[in-house]
Amino acid sequence: MSSGKIHRYESAHAVVTWDASRCIHAAECVRGLPEAFDPAAKPWIRPEAADAASLADVVNRCPSGALRMQHPDGTSAMTAPPLNTGLVTKDGPNYLRGNLTLVHHESSVEDTRVALCRCGQSQNKPYCDLSHRKAGFQDAGALPAEVPAPPGTDLSAPLTIK
């Protein structure tokens, strides 16, 4: 489901990848660790500028899943939250976090974070690409009162989104 715009940044203690096609420029990385994520610098990601734990913490905050990190031994630094969650944003995407599998057409992607289009205008469906801004999409993002999950629902179980 990626368009192949994945960039790789390596240091002795981390490999950070950035999928430009999924980035919605929320800037969690820039705010969280500006010494390692500086959009004005070339390269803009410098994993050698921070320790592995700090990098992993900030990469895991990326709401779109555009950033990923592995340790040098190949193990993932990505952590899924204990429960699957969803957030409908005002005038923007749906953010999902958890143990996720996104199925779209003939492919599937396992991830811990995704930002999904709600406006229908994205050129990178099902992912948000910020087209909602140009389209003037407006929606309060308000849901009816919280409805409890049906009895026996395991909110920590893997979630497949089709």
Side-chain angles (χ1 to χ4, degrees):
M1 278 183 270
S2 172
S3 66
K5 300 177 191 172
I6 298 177
H7 305 273
R8 184 179 175 97
Y9 306 87
E10 296 184 45
S11 72
H13 61 277
V15 177
V16 176
T17 57
W18 174 57
D19 184 343
S21 69
R22 286 183 55 184
C23 185
I24 60 171
H25 307 288
E28 288 292 327
C29 53
V30 175
R31 283 190 298 277
L33 206 54
E35 60 273 21
F37 298 93
D38 180 357
K42 298 259 186 222
W44 82 276
I45 299 175
R46 295 182 315 280
E48 69 279 359
D51 63 88
S54 297
L55 276 170
D57 179 55
V58 168
V59 167
N60 275 295
R61 282 192 240 160
C62 174
S64 67
L67 289 172
R68 302 180 74 77
M69 182 180 147
Q70 288 184 335
H71 299 289
D73 66 2
T75 59
S76 177
M78 309 314 301
T79 56
L83 299 176
N84 298 320
T85 62
L87 173 66
V88 180
T89 62
K90 180 181 185 298
D91 304 332
N94 287 329
Y95 291 115
L96 303 179
R97 288 185 168 268
N99 186 352
L100 311 172
T101 300
L102 181 61
V103 178
H104 183 63
H105 296 300
E106 301 294 321
S107 64
S108 66
V109 174
E110 291 182 15
D111 212 325
T112 58
R113 302 144 302 140
V114 293
L116 300 178
C117 175
R118 283 197 314 133
C119 73
Q121 302 300 310
S122 175
Q123 298 303 300
N124 191 30
K125 290 181 183 107
Y127 301 113
C128 175
D129 69 359
L130 299 180
S131 290
H132 57 272
R133 292 179 180 171
K134 186 175 180 181
F137 176 72
Q138 294 184 325
D139 182 81
L143 297 174
E146 188 170 318
V147 177
T153 301
D154 181 1
L155 296 177
S156 64
L159 175 64
T160 300
I161 303 123
K162 295 181 180 182

